[in-house]
């Protein structure tokens, strides 16, 4: 099965821009979706498709993709953005169309 | 309000069984594909199982294949996960999540846009 690789931890100064990346072969065929998870809470979808934000997600969140790498960018990070971020995609490398998550990136806002 | 509410978690001995339920409300449940996703204590998200809107297509992660069974009852707006032969490594918070997707000119995309709050399964003697 395919895997998605994320950096375990990233930090950003308050108000600055941070990029969180996700690498995997499946990203050559499928756009990643991105989820934010705060301690003790369920994940929340923040980006899907080429660069789509669900209703209620601030426009400082954006997504992009190139080759086997997907990126989530937070422009002007806020204290409330401190959370774990997970990428997700489909995986067609096996006999089925499974789903796969990256290992997650812990974002610290300094 | 669009909502998913999981139930059925608890403490079970290794080798035991549990049935999780997910009650959907606020949307046309029968039109949506659904997933179960779990998160072990202190760990990341792990996809567990997928079911199509009609229930005709089902996928499982290798880690649960042959032990877990996903099903749905569209008349009751409910999703289920029957978990048998439970192991300590199945200990996790289990979330149900609504799935969606689409395609652009060159790519497909998929996402899980609505999540429940989760139900905790603990496998221990």
């Amino acid at each position: 099965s395919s895997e998605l690789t994320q950096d375990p931890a990233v930090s950003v100064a308050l108000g600055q821009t941070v990029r969180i990346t996700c690498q995997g072969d499946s990203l050559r065929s499928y756009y990643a979706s991105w989820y934010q998870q705060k301690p003790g809470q369920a994940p929340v979808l923040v980006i899907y498709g080429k660069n789509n934000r669900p209703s209620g997600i601030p426009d400082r969140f954006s997504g992009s993709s190139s080759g086997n790498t997907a990126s989530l960018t937070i422009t002007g990070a806020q204290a409330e953005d401190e959370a774990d971020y997970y990428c997700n995609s489909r995986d067609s490398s096996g006999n089925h169309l499974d789903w796969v998550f990256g290992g997650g990136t812990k974002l610290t806002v300094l | 309000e669009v909502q998913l509410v999981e139930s059925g978690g608890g403490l079970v001995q290794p080798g035991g069984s549990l049935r999780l339920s997910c009650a959907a409300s606020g949307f046309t449940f029968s039109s949506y594909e659904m997933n179960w996703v779990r998160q072990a204590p202190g760990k990341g998200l792990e996809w567990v199982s997928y079911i199509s809107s009609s229930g005709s297509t089902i996928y499982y992660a290798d880690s649960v294949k042959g032990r877990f069974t996903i099903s749905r009852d569209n008349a009751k707006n409910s999703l289920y996960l029957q978990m048998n032969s439970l192991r300590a490594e199945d200990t996790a918070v289990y979330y149900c999540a609504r799935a969606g997707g689409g395609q652009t000119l060159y790519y497909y995309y998929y996402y899980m846009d609505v999540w429940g709050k989760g139900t905790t399964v603990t496998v221990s003697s």
Side-chain angles (χ1 to χ4, degrees), chain A residues 31 35 37 42 90 97 99, chain B residues 39 47 59 107-108 110 112 116:
Chain A
Y31 283 120
Y35 304 83
Q37 187 181 35
R90 301 298 294 269
L97 189 57
W99 297 69
Chain B
Q39 186 169 36
W47 170 76
Y59 303 130
Y107 283 78
Y108 289 92
Y110 298 91
M112 301 183 204

Side-chain angles (χ1 to χ4, degrees), chain B residues 16 23-24 26 35 38 40 43-45 47 51 54 57-58 61 63 90 95 100 111-112 116 121:
Chain B
N35 283 292
R38 69 183 180 183
K43 303 295 185 183
L45 301 174
W47 170 76
I51 188 168
S54 67
T57 300
I58 286 172
S63 57
D90 296 318
Y95 298 99
Y111 53 84
M112 301 183 204
V121 172

Side-chain angles (χ1 to χ4, degrees), chain B residues 28-43:
Chain B
T28 305
F29 179 70
S30 59
S31 297
Y32 286 86
E33 303 164 4
M34 298 293 295
N35 283 292
W36 286 100
V37 176
R38 69 183 180 183
Q39 186 169 36
K43 303 295 185 183

Side-chain angles (χ1 to χ4, degrees), chain A residues 57-107:
Chain A
I57 301 302
D59 61 6
R60 64 179 179 270
F61 290 88
S62 63
S64 61
S65 184
S66 179
N68 72 335
T69 302
S71 300
L72 172 70
T73 300
I74 307 174
T75 303
Q78 302 299 302
E80 60 264 32
D81 300 333
E82 185 162 291
D84 293 326
Y85 291 85
Y86 296 90
C87 60
N88 174 243
S89 177
R90 301 298 294 269
D91 171 23
S92 58
S93 62
N95 293 328
H96 302 122
L97 189 57
D98 293 342
W99 297 69
V100 60
F101 284 95
T105 297
K106 182 175 183 61
L107 176 66

